[in-house]
Amino acid sequence: MLKFGQITILTAIVLLTIGVIDFFFEISPILYVTIFLLWFLIVALGSFTMRWRIFTAAVTKGGQTKKQVAITFDDGPNTEFTPQILELLKSYNAKATFFCIGKYLEKHSELAQQIVAEGHTIGNHSYSHATNFGFFRKKRIVEELSKTDALIKKLTGVKNILFRPPYGVTNPSIAKALKQTNHTVIGWNVRSYDTVVKNPSQVINRIQKRILPGSIILLHDTHSRCPEIVERLLQFLKKEGYQTVGIDTLLKKN
Ligand SMILES: [Zn+2]
């Protein structure tokens, strides 16, 4: 996929070329509008589709052929559900990755420590997870990321480099911020829709159909259905001979 700058330059070249042709042969204004709308549509869709990598590099799956997958949990830590999930992971001897929100790390520091002490990976999911995070300027994004990394370091001793953008949104401001902070952006290739689909069986079926070696699965440790989904998923992975590992292990190709 082309990068944002390339797409914009290409659109400008096409519009200029049409402008020149228009000088000799009359061209309908609709064509200009259509091309502009097409540019807008690609950029808007691209900001929600990390695997297109229009704005920034992002890891959305591991490259291995070995049967390993990474389960990732966003938006915690949560006092009710994170401990239940940690218990399940322990009983299946599975490791996972928790993309935590800074303000919750601050409130529930003991969970951050437990996550790391039990051998899981912790990552940065912004400080505020504000609904308008996608409209923040570079300076504010850098502040959010640095504040959360500092918290992770203070609470767990881990020097974090992993970042999952809130809502999976990337855009030019986030890309500029990431150039400064040097985080590795982690997306997913198995989206569970666990916060939207209320029936755990449907969520499990959706995940099972999509699992391949190297898959990165997106879940949220923030709702009452999550423990059941995790337990059934871990049973399935065990039966299929998959090892459940942290993102850092998944990214070491083997
Ligand atoms: Zn989130």
Side-chain angles (χ1 to χ4, degrees):
M1 192 72 186
L2 294 171
K3 301 265 175 288
F4 171 63
Q6 294 167 317
I7 294 167
T8 306
I9 290 168
L10 197 68
T11 309
I13 291 171
V14 171
L15 285 171
L16 273 171
T17 310
I18 295 169
V20 172
I21 298 169
D22 200 4
F23 198 70
F24 301 102
F25 311 96
E26 205 177 314
I27 289 177
S28 163
I30 294 170
L31 188 61
Y32 291 97
V33 176
T34 309
I35 289 166
F36 174 77
L37 285 178
L38 200 63
W39 170 84
F40 183 79
L41 190 72
I42 292 171
V43 171
L45 283 176
S47 67
F48 284 98
T49 317
M50 257 190 276
R51 66 174 188 279
W52 287 3
R53 298 174 183 84
I54 286 181
F55 299 104
T56 183
V59 178
T60 53
K61 60 182 169 57
Q64 59 267 80
T65 47
K66 199 170 164 182
K67 281 188 129 183
Q68 285 183 328
V69 294
I71 304 179
T72 62
F73 297 97
D74 283 12
D75 298 355
N78 177 294
T79 44
E80 195 173 353
F81 307 115
T82 310
Q84 294 180 41
I85 288 160
L86 286 170
E87 206 49 53
L88 285 165
L89 291 167
K90 196 188 279 177
S91 63
Y92 282 82
N93 195 24
K95 301 295 175 217
T97 305
F98 293 79
F99 286 99
C100 296
I101 298 175
K103 63 179 179 184
Y104 297 144
L105 281 173
E106 229 163 26
K107 272 192 196 162
H108 316 304
S109 53
E110 71 292 348
L111 287 173
Q113 285 151 356
Q114 195 185 342
I115 288 169
V116 173
E118 294 183 4
H120 305 291
T121 308
I122 202 162
N124 188 331
H125 193 39
S126 82
Y127 181 80
S128 66
H129 204 284
T131 43
N132 59 339
F133 191 86
F135 296 98
F136 282 7
R137 308 297 297 267
K138 176 197 157 189
K139 189 170 167 272
R140 194 155 171 203
I141 299 165
V142 170
E143 280 168 13
E144 288 246 350
L145 269 59
S146 306
K147 200 171 171 183
T148 305
D149 276 350
L151 269 170
I152 294 175
K153 176 82 181 152
K154 189 178 117 190
L155 298 174
T156 68
V158 171
K159 193 181 176 311
N160 174 61
I161 55 152
L162 305 175
F163 173 59
R164 172 165 286 162
Y167 313 103
V169 167
T170 50
N171 61 32
S173 298
I174 294 175
K176 273 189 229 157
L178 291 169
K179 254 194 185 150
Q180 187 177 326
T181 62
N182 262 324
H183 282 89
T184 302
V185 177
I186 308 292
W188 56 79
N189 69 342
V190 180
R191 185 172 202 163
S192 64
Y193 292 100
D194 61 328
T195 53
V196 187
V197 179
K198 304 295 179 203
N199 179 345
S201 297
Q202 279 177 17
V203 176
I204 282 290
N205 286 341
R206 189 186 155 80
I207 300 172
Q208 286 177 356
K209 270 189 229 155
R210 287 167 173 78
I211 279 182
L212 288 168
S215 281
I216 300 177
I217 303 155
L218 169 64
L219 287 167
H220 296 80
D221 52 338
T222 54
H223 56 89
S224 59
R225 302 168 303 283
C226 195
E228 181 187 340
I229 294 168
V230 172
E231 179 149 38
R232 289 171 64 180
L233 177 58
L234 290 170
Q235 282 166 357
F236 169 80
L237 291 170
K238 192 178 169 190
K239 186 170 77 106
E240 296 293 316
Y242 275 97
Q243 193 191 357
T244 307
V245 298
I247 281 287
D248 31 6
T249 308
L250 193 85
L251 298 186
K252 286 179 212 140
K253 286 181 195 167
N254 44 33

